[in-house]
Amino acid sequence: MTTSASKAKSKNTHYEFKTDVKQLLDLVTHSLYSHKDIFLRELISNASDAIDKVRFESLTNADLLEDNSEWQVEITPDEKEKTLTIKDNGCGMSREDLIDHIGTIAKSGTQDFIDKIKESKKQDNPDLIGQFGVGFYSSFMVADKVTVRTRTAGGTGWQWVSTGEASFDLDECDKQDRGTEVVLHLKEECEDYLQEYTIRETVKKYSNFVEFPICMEVERNEYPKDKDGNDDYKAEPKKVKSTETLNSAEAIWMQPKSEIKKEDYSSFYKQISHDFQDPMETIHYSAEGAMEYKALMYLPSKAPQNIFSPDSIKGMHLYINRVFIMNDCKKLLPEYLRFVNGVVDSSDLPLNVSREILQDNPQLEKINKGLVNKLLSTLKTMKNKKPEEYLKFYNEFGMVLKEGLHYDQDNKEKLMELVMFPTTKTAEGEFKSLKDYVDGMKKNQKEIYYISAENRAKALNSPHLELYKSKNMEVLLMIDNVDEYILPQLTEYDKKPIKSVTAGAESLKGNKEKEKAAKEKAKELGDLLTAVKEKLGDDIKEVKFSGKLTESACCLTADDSEMNAQMAQMMRSMGQAMPDPKKILELNPTHPLIDVLNGLFEADKDSEQFGEYVGLIYEQALLTEGSQLKDPLGFAKKVSELMVKAQKA
Ligand code: ADP
């Protein structure tokens, strides 16, 4: 990691923020303002992470403990100073930590975040905060000055102060106890956060299930007792101070399902996912037998915007006997289930090993298998029993789930039942499973057909569909980027081969009458085909009349053995050099254009016009399959000339 804060003055205490921090601070303080109460959630969550960290490390190094104090987060409002302090006895930060973590944005994807917020029409977009975890900087939504005082075990105390504008100061300080305290000098309009009620409600709303007690000292009136032993409200009360825990501090996943309310599940979900919406589905269960663990998993209602970026690859939170081990344990779930949030707590894993070793633990593999099974069976039930909800889920996460077909051979059968595709017969936003496709197949149809294209419109307009349309046959549309990766896995379903429309038996067979017509035409106009092939030279493999086109004049087909156009295009976009696979140019023998072409051929096969027409036909075929023209300008010029000529004639 590079230290990105730069020294501004010779005294070793004053630092300028980097530009991206300034931009982010500006956005956080101004754009996300209506959700400013999340600052408390973010600071509590940092405090809790810091406690987790030192608690975990102290398992192997007891010196880190320094004292035996209870793990806790303390919140202290100070009415006189107008400050709110969030204090923890976690790991604390060294001087370098402060510069690297608090003075800089070292996280990848931050620029992305800034750009997204700027782009987003809705400037005030809380989902984005959740996704990128603005974290500590959210303090500046409510404070015009923030002081961080912190010390690591056995280390020196450091004080960081900033007004959240361009710079921060960093100096040594005297700090007795290990940990961190963040002192927020509240803005005038945010002084409400000094009220016990507001603090209590905000903690309950966002941080109720934080594992450690979040404590606050509260003052209550205590009345003297009257002669019957009841409070005497007429007497002058005494002010009594006591410390109260504001959160439930219980591990929700350890409690019996029957005792957990929907709101509790939902609020725990929001706490761990930083999502503002309720989850779509909650899965809570205990595994017994070979591996014992408890799992609480959630399917979100909406996909985060960065679901396809590597930053979105998270994982579950892992606990061992209620001791937090790590966030984002990638070994617990495969990438294609990366949208799942949740917690796994196992009593069967060894506690005193490093997180790195734990990542390779074979027992984690077993838990992974168990979680995947549970998730896939939950999705199956959802699909069968709550199809509307499954459709919503699929619209959000279907593209991600499909990746499983490429990566998870063991669960291929199950995934084949879960994936769905748009088809030539579904409306936009709807999908069909392979089973439903097969159930709707024509009596004599023996194969499942698909067409791959860049998008829905291109797929539906492809000349390759003409024959299938004329026979009212349904075709699956493979229009997601991920489809090309999974196609090699989609070889058959329910004993029926899955074939591309360009290679399917139907298309090879064509329409009987048209096929006959094509053959006759080929005999009759054999010389024309040879001349066209000669003109196009090495660009194509063969020219033939086809029995499957009903409307279009021409199309290009891949040899069964060759990669299709989409695949080649994708490989090229990934920077792979791809030779153009040679295509077959198919002509529609019943199209009037062929008569025109033949007329020109018979008049003079060496004429410039015949050559131009052949070129235009080929370019049309290229366009309809979604390929780029080598010379689009030349094509446009020729078409324009023809239009002018046609009008003059
Ligand atoms: P995030 O928590 O998403 O990493 P933050 O901006 O909130 O982002 O915090 C940046 C980093 O600063 C944390 O990852 C952690 O290393 C450090 N940090 C923040 N608060 C504390 C704290 N209370 N104790 C120890 N370290 C902290």
Side-chain angles (χ1 to χ4, degrees):
M1 196 187 295
T2 51
T3 298
S4 323
S6 58
K7 256 193 283 171
K9 286 186 185 166
S10 56
K11 240 181 104 201
N12 194 21
T13 61
H14 190 77
Y15 295 80
E16 294 289 320
F17 281 126
K18 269 198 96 185
T19 346
D20 60 349
V21 178
K22 280 187 220 159
Q23 276 181 322
L24 186 68
L25 278 168
D26 192 53
L27 278 164
V28 168
T29 38
H30 298 108
S31 309
L32 310 171
Y33 197 69
S34 63
H35 294 274
K36 58 183 183 302
D37 54 356
I38 62 146
F39 83 91
L40 196 56
R41 173 189 78 182
E42 298 293 321
L43 294 181
I44 291 175
S45 149
N46 282 350
S48 154
D49 289 351
I51 299 177
D52 274 331
K53 201 165 161 202
V54 70
R55 183 177 63 169
F56 180 79
E57 283 165 4
S58 67
L59 293 171
T60 45
N61 180 4
D63 290 349
L64 295 178
L65 288 176
E66 291 193 347
D67 58 22
N68 285 323
S69 62
E70 297 276 317
W71 304 118
Q72 67 171 28
V73 182
E74 264 173 63
I75 300 185
T76 316
D78 185 329
E79 279 280 358
K80 245 184 31 229
E81 299 293 326
K82 309 288 182 216
T83 59
L84 183 68
T85 301
I86 292 93
K87 180 177 173 195
D88 64 65
N89 52 1
C91 59
M93 282 177 273
S94 64
R95 180 175 174 278
E96 289 68 37
D97 290 341
L98 278 168
I99 294 175
D100 287 348
H101 301 320
I102 303 282
T104 336
I105 298 179
K107 268 176 285 188
S108 60
T110 305
Q111 192 55 48
D112 223 35
F113 169 75
I114 294 173
D115 295 345
K116 281 241 169 69
I117 286 214
K118 280 191 180 153
E119 255 167 44
S120 123
K121 286 200 190 74
K122 218 172 116 214
Q123 279 281 306
D124 191 11
N125 191 338
D127 295 345
L128 288 173
I129 317 178
Q131 282 170 35
F132 290 88
V134 184
F136 175 78
Y137 295 98
S138 57
S139 314
F140 290 102
M141 292 195 281
V142 293
D144 43 28
K145 180 173 143 193
V146 178
T147 306
V148 180
R149 293 161 55 77
T150 182
R151 181 170 75 72
T152 55
T156 317
W158 287 97
Q159 174 168 294
W160 178 101
V161 186
S162 176
T163 50
E165 281 149 357
S167 61
F168 61 87
D169 288 303
L170 188 55
D171 290 289
E172 237 179 281
C173 74
D174 184 32
K175 190 171 187 304
Q176 291 299 309
D177 35 9
R178 185 206 58 240
T180 303
E181 60 185 59
V182 178
V183 185
L184 307 172
H185 302 262
L186 294 176
K187 292 178 184 170
E188 208 176 316
E189 69 272 25
C190 298
E191 285 174 12
D192 196 31
Y193 290 107
L194 297 170
Q195 301 303 315
E196 180 193 328
Y197 174 80
T198 313
I199 298 172
R200 207 180 262 283
E201 288 302 300
T202 315
V203 169
K204 271 239 161 307
K205 184 167 165 197
Y206 293 114
S207 313
N208 195 29
F209 296 103
V210 166
E211 206 194 332
F212 308 104
I214 301 166
C215 303
M216 183 164 68
E217 191 171 75
V218 292
E219 201 175 63
R220 297 271 177 267
N221 286 336
E222 203 173 275
Y223 291 89
K225 301 284 177 207
D226 61 16
K227 59 182 181 351
D228 301 323
N230 297 323
D231 288 350
D232 180 2
Y233 293 116
K234 282 188 229 107
E236 191 58 29
K238 216 168 62 186
K239 300 269 182 212
V240 180
K241 286 186 175 167
S242 66
T243 301
E244 278 189 23
T245 300
L246 307 182
N247 59 329
S248 84
E250 275 181 85
I252 182 172
W253 60 90
M254 299 299 278
Q255 298 168 32
K257 261 165 111 164
S258 55
E259 286 174 21
I260 308 172
K261 290 200 239 75
K262 200 172 168 224
E263 304 89 85
D264 292 341
Y265 274 132
S266 192
S267 104
F268 180 66
Y269 164 73
K270 289 175 186 170
Q271 184 186 308
I272 57 167
S273 66
H274 292 198
D275 192 350
F276 282 81
Q277 304 185 48
D278 289 333
M280 183 183 290
E281 189 79 23
T282 303
I283 306 157
H284 185 189
Y285 75 106
S286 271
E288 271 144 31
M291 268 311 278
E292 292 197 359
Y293 62 89
K294 291 194 161 48
L296 175 54
M297 298 189 278
Y298 295 96
L299 304 182
S301 311
K302 275 208 102 40
Q305 293 194 4
N306 63 344
I307 187 85
F308 287 105
S309 91
D311 283 354
S312 77
I313 301 171
K314 295 240 166 65
M316 305 273 285
H317 297 238
L318 176 66
Y319 285 73
I320 299 180
N321 271 333
R322 287 210 53 193
V323 177
F324 174 84
I325 305 298
M326 63 198 298
N327 271 335
D328 301 345
C329 180
K330 296 194 173 66
K331 279 286 151 74
L332 280 172
L333 282 179
E335 270 182 31
Y336 73 91
L337 294 171
R338 61 181 171 272
F339 46 83
V340 177
N341 278 288
V343 168
V344 170
D345 192 335
S346 167
S347 44
D348 282 351
L349 290 166
L351 236 188
N352 53 355
V353 291
S354 77
R355 293 171 205 208
E356 290 70 35
I357 294 178
L358 195 61
Q359 284 277 32
D360 288 326
N361 188 296
Q363 283 158 305
L364 273 195
E365 298 278 320
K366 283 192 195 142
I367 300 182
N368 175 311
K369 278 207 165 72
L371 298 178
V372 173
N373 271 340
K374 186 71 186 181
L375 282 165
L376 297 184
S377 68
T378 304
L379 289 175
K380 186 176 166 193
T381 314
M382 226 167 119
K383 180 169 172 282
N384 296 338
K385 303 249 166 77
K386 297 186 272 187
E388 275 171 27
E389 201 170 316
Y390 189 72
L391 182 65
K392 268 194 219 147
F393 159 81
Y394 202 80
N395 261 308
E396 293 295 323
F397 300 109
M399 290 228 273
V400 183
L401 184 73
K402 274 198 276 188
E403 292 172 15
L405 279 175
H406 178 73
Y407 292 107
D408 189 355
Q409 290 295 318
D410 293 348
N411 287 302
K412 187 175 158 187
E413 299 298 307
K414 288 180 189 162
L415 284 162
M416 291 281 268
E417 296 301 332
L418 292 174
V419 295
M420 305 196 292
F421 300 93
T423 80
T424 43
K425 293 189 178 174
T426 56
E428 186 120 36
E430 284 181 3
F431 306 92
K432 239 183 207 181
S433 64
L434 292 169
K435 179 168 186 311
D436 288 343
Y437 176 95
V438 167
D439 288 348
M441 264 165 56
K442 304 241 139 216
K443 263 203 199 103
N444 48 3
Q445 187 182 338
K446 305 230 162 24
E447 297 176 333
I448 297 169
Y449 301 113
Y450 71 84
I451 177 163
S452 30
E454 224 172 289
N455 56 43
R456 187 181 165 86
K458 278 197 178 156
L460 291 178
N461 289 327
S462 167
H464 294 295
L465 282 186
E466 289 175 10
L467 175 77
Y468 294 82
K469 274 187 210 154
S470 72
K471 295 188 175 186
N472 194 23
M473 271 186 184
E474 189 167 22
V475 173
L476 303 172
L477 309 181
M478 301 286 179
I479 50 178
D480 282 344
N481 286 339
V482 58
D483 289 341
E484 291 290 352
Y485 291 102
I486 64 168
L487 275 171
Q489 298 302 325
L490 294 177
T491 46
E492 95 169 22
Y493 175 80
D494 193 20
K495 301 212 176 71
K496 296 173 179 62
I498 303 179
K499 293 225 164 146
S500 158
V501 285
T502 55
E506 272 310 315
S507 110
L508 299 177
K509 201 161 59 184
N511 174 311
K512 262 191 204 142
E513 275 167 36
K514 295 200 89 206
E515 203 64 37
K516 222 171 103 196
K519 276 205 187 109
E520 273 164 23
K521 203 78 172 190
K523 260 190 234 153
E524 190 187 322
L525 302 180
D527 293 345
L528 172 67
L529 294 181
T530 317
V532 172
K533 167 74 183 102
E534 263 169 29
K535 287 267 173 233
L536 293 172
D538 277 348
D539 284 347
I540 53 159
K541 190 171 172 178
E542 189 188 340
V543 184
K544 65 180 191 186
F545 283 119
S546 147
K548 65 186 186 192
L549 293 172
T550 57
E551 292 155 33
S552 306
C554 55
C555 72
L556 287 166
T557 45
D559 233 0
D560 210 2
S561 55
E562 309 229 34
M563 234 187 289
N564 69 31
Q566 269 282 113
M567 184 72 169
Q569 208 166 51
M570 195 181 71
M571 303 290 275
R572 256 181 246 121
S573 72
M574 282 164 30
Q576 306 232 13
M578 288 293 304
D580 285 327
K582 283 194 189 160
K583 298 281 176 60
I584 299 169
L585 176 66
E586 299 197 14
L587 302 175
N588 178 355
T590 57
H591 200 285
L593 187 57
I594 302 305
D595 293 334
V596 173
L597 189 69
N598 194 43
L600 291 172
F601 168 71
E602 283 181 348
D604 178 5
K605 73 180 167 77
D606 297 320
S607 71
E608 197 182 327
Q609 205 182 7
F610 176 66
E612 259 179 21
Y613 269 53
V614 170
L616 281 172
I617 285 179
Y618 174 57
E619 284 174 320
Q620 261 187 54
L622 278 173
L623 282 178
T624 46
E625 73 162 9
S627 290
Q628 297 272 340
L629 296 186
K630 276 194 199 128
D631 177 17
L633 200 67
F635 176 78
K637 235 163 110 183
K638 277 182 259 169
V639 172
S640 309
E641 277 167 16
L642 274 178
M643 288 164 90
V644 174
K645 266 192 211 154
Q647 208 46 35
K648 282 189 181 155

